[in-house]
Every structure is written in structure tokens, then in C-alpha cells.
Amino acid sequence: MEEVYQNYRNAVFQSGDPAAVGVVLSNMTVAFDHWLLDVEDPFVFEPYHKALREPFDYYMFGQNYIRPLIDFRNSYVGNLSLFYEIEEKLKQGHNVVLISNHQTEADPIIISLLLEKTNPHIAENMIFVAGDRVITDPLCKPFSMGRNLLCVYSKKHMYDIPELAEMKRKANTRSLKEMALLLRGGSKIVWIAASGGRDRPDPFTEEWYPALFDSSSVDNMRRLIEHSGTPGHVYPLALLCYDIMPPPRQKKKLEKKELSPFMGLDYQ
């Protein structure tokens, strides 16, 4: 807990905001409260989790916590006109899927922060396909509770614990059925990281690039859209935000001693 506080404080202080001390104390007080509440009474995510907005607004909690880590003066959304186009399609009852790369565990919040002024409907209603890490890690859970999530287990880690593999497969089947039902209703926007994991830098050049997409994931989304009975559209989305919460440089199987992604924060 002390390390989380120190990392967050140092990152926010880099912004040069004269109100940084108050921002850190306010956000960390709320974060500690909800981390400890979840320890006492752990929240269990359903296959489809709808953002909790009351009596406590977990969506705004995530927005307010990550907001001080973003340098908005040097951040931008490219091709903003496409998001207006997407909003029109959603109003017409169409579905939209964003096939994206994935850089940090905070990607859903960062996307919402960059769209909250221009496209608040998209920012608040986007559904994110989420791996089990963000719904089980005690430091991630309160932030995940504020997002619309379809919870799945990564194929890459399906057999990390062999005795849990069958449970994971059944859970993924339930999540696919939930997604199919949602798409049949229309007017849904779904974000999916088609690589199944976060990007990593090139080991030789140190440059960041999108991880290879899993073609079966892209194909599954295409089939779900085609069979929904509702017009659907697929858009590519590129993210570049790794500096805010960099992932480990090398991929590895999750171990108990591995730090939560919320341990490593920076102002960017």
C-alpha cells in the first residue's frame, strides 16, 4: 500500500499542478477505502458486468484517479470525425466493434478520458472485453467495477493451472453467449484487444509496436456481428499510452509475487 501511494504521488507531482498534493490525498483516500472494502467483502464479477454508478460512482472514481496522470496538452485523438460517425451509427441501432492494440491495464479509462468531452456517450457506454487479471487483482478491481465489461479468460493462460482449465472454458462460453445477446439488442460498442495481451517494446530498438492480433479472435467478432441480426461495423483502433502504466518488458506467467499494474505509474 505504501508503494502504491508513493508511486502515485510521484507520478502526479510530475505534472506540476499546484493542486497536486490535494489531488493525491483525495484520490488515494478514496482508493484505499475501496481496496479495503473489497478485501472485507470481495466483489464477484458476472460474465457481463455493467458499470456501477451508484450509490458510489466507480466510473468517475476511475476517471478522477487516472486523469492527473495524463498530459492533455500533449495528448490527442486522431481521426476524431470517425467517433462522430460511430455515434451516428449507434443512434441508428447499429453495433460497432473496435479492434485494438492493448498497452496498459488503464486503457479503458484512458480511452474514456480522451473522449469524455467530445463523445461522452461512447466514453460511458463502451463495453470492454476484459481478461481475468483486472477482475481478480485487488488493486484493479475497484477500477474495473466502474467499466462495462465482458469477462473472459485468456487462451494464453488457459492451462497455467490445469485443474481450472475446464472452469475457464465454461466461463468463456457464458461470456460469448452474453456478447451475442448484447449485440442482438443493437446500439452496442465493444472494444477488444485482439492480441490477447499488452504490447511490448522491440528488444533491440526499444520501440513500441502493436502485438500480433489473434486471427481467431478477430474472426469470432466478425461472426458474432454477422449473426446478430443487426447491422454491425468493425473499426481499427490504435493506442499509444504505455508510459502511463508500463507493462513488464517481458511476458511471463502470472506469479503471486508479480506486482499489480497499479504499482508502476507515471505522468505522460
Side-chain angles (χ1 to χ4, degrees), residues 17-86:
D17 184 349
V21 173
V23 169
V24 170
L25 290 177
S26 174
N27 286 347
M28 288 306 303
T29 298
V30 178
F32 281 136
D33 279 347
H34 286 86
W35 285 328
L36 294 174
L37 281 171
D38 192 68
V39 170
E40 293 174 354
D41 185 17
F43 183 81
V44 178
F45 289 82
E46 296 294 328
Y48 171 53
H49 168 78
K50 195 162 176 58
L52 299 179
R53 303 298 303 264
E54 55 184 25
F56 178 77
D57 193 336
Y58 282 90
Y59 173 84
M60 286 309 301
F61 160 64
Q63 298 290 95
N64 292 335
Y65 189 90
I66 298 297
R67 192 189 312 277
L69 302 176
I70 298 178
D71 180 0
F72 287 94
R73 293 165 301 181
N74 293 306
S75 302
Y76 70 95
V77 179
N79 297 312
L80 187 58
S81 62
L82 290 177
F83 286 97
Y84 293 114
E85 178 182 302
I86 287 170

Side-chain angles (χ1 to χ4, degrees), residues 48-267:
Y48 171 53
H49 168 78
K50 195 162 176 58
L52 299 179
R53 303 298 303 264
E54 55 184 25
F56 178 77
D57 193 336
Y58 282 90
Y59 173 84
M60 286 309 301
F61 160 64
Q63 298 290 95
N64 292 335
Y65 189 90
I66 298 297
R67 192 189 312 277
L69 302 176
I70 298 178
D71 180 0
F72 287 94
R73 293 165 301 181
N74 293 306
S75 302
Y76 70 95
V77 179
N79 297 312
L80 187 58
S81 62
L82 290 177
F83 286 97
Y84 293 114
E85 178 182 302
I86 287 170
E87 279 200 334
E88 287 303 312
K89 294 186 185 305
L90 295 173
K91 288 176 184 175
Q92 294 165 18
H94 297 195
N95 293 313
V96 172
V97 173
L98 301 177
I99 302 287
S100 176
N101 66 318
H102 180 25
Q103 296 226 311
T104 82
E105 300 293 13
D107 284 352
I109 301 176
I110 294 167
I111 292 169
S112 296
L113 282 167
L114 290 175
L115 293 175
E116 67 178 355
K117 291 190 183 299
T118 57
N119 306 89
H121 177 80
I122 292 177
E124 295 188 34
N125 291 283
M126 192 177 294
I127 300 168
F128 298 90
V129 178
D132 58 301
R133 174 70 181 274
V134 297
I135 62 172
T136 56
D137 185 299
L139 299 183
C140 292
K141 284 177 70 178
F143 300 94
S144 299
M145 289 160 69
R147 305 291 133 179
N148 302 306
L149 302 179
L150 279 161
C151 307
V152 299
Y153 289 91
S154 169
K155 289 193 298 183
K156 294 178 180 178
H157 300 292
M158 188 67 68
Y159 296 96
D160 286 358
I161 304 175
E163 55 269 29
L164 296 181
E166 185 61 24
M167 178 276 291
K168 291 179 179 181
R169 276 198 298 269
K170 288 180 178 178
N172 283 356
T173 299
R174 289 197 300 271
S175 295
L176 277 173
K177 288 180 179 177
E178 287 285 351
M179 188 184 296
L181 286 171
L182 288 168
L183 293 174
R184 280 179 207 158
S187 296
K188 300 297 187 297
I189 177 165
V190 179
W191 177 94
I192 181 170
S195 68
R198 289 169 289 175
D199 301 337
R200 295 300 195 281
D202 183 284
F204 300 105
T205 66
E206 293 294 303
E207 289 185 2
W208 289 76
Y209 59 94
L212 290 176
F213 284 2
D214 179 349
S215 59
S216 65
S217 293
V218 177
D219 206 43
N220 281 337
M221 291 306 304
R222 180 186 59 78
R223 285 201 301 268
L224 282 166
I225 291 172
E226 288 178 351
H227 291 98
S228 68
T230 304
H233 312 271
V234 178
Y235 288 80
L237 177 67
L239 300 176
L240 184 63
C241 55
Y242 63 90
D243 272 340
I244 291 174
M245 197 181 291
R249 287 298 175 118
Q250 294 183 334
K251 299 176 184 178
K252 58 182 178 180
K253 288 186 178 180
L254 181 63
E255 301 173 358
K256 288 185 178 179
K257 65 182 179 181
E258 184 180 340
L259 295 177
S260 164
F262 280 83
M263 290 294 208
L265 298 167
D266 203 355
Y267 172 77

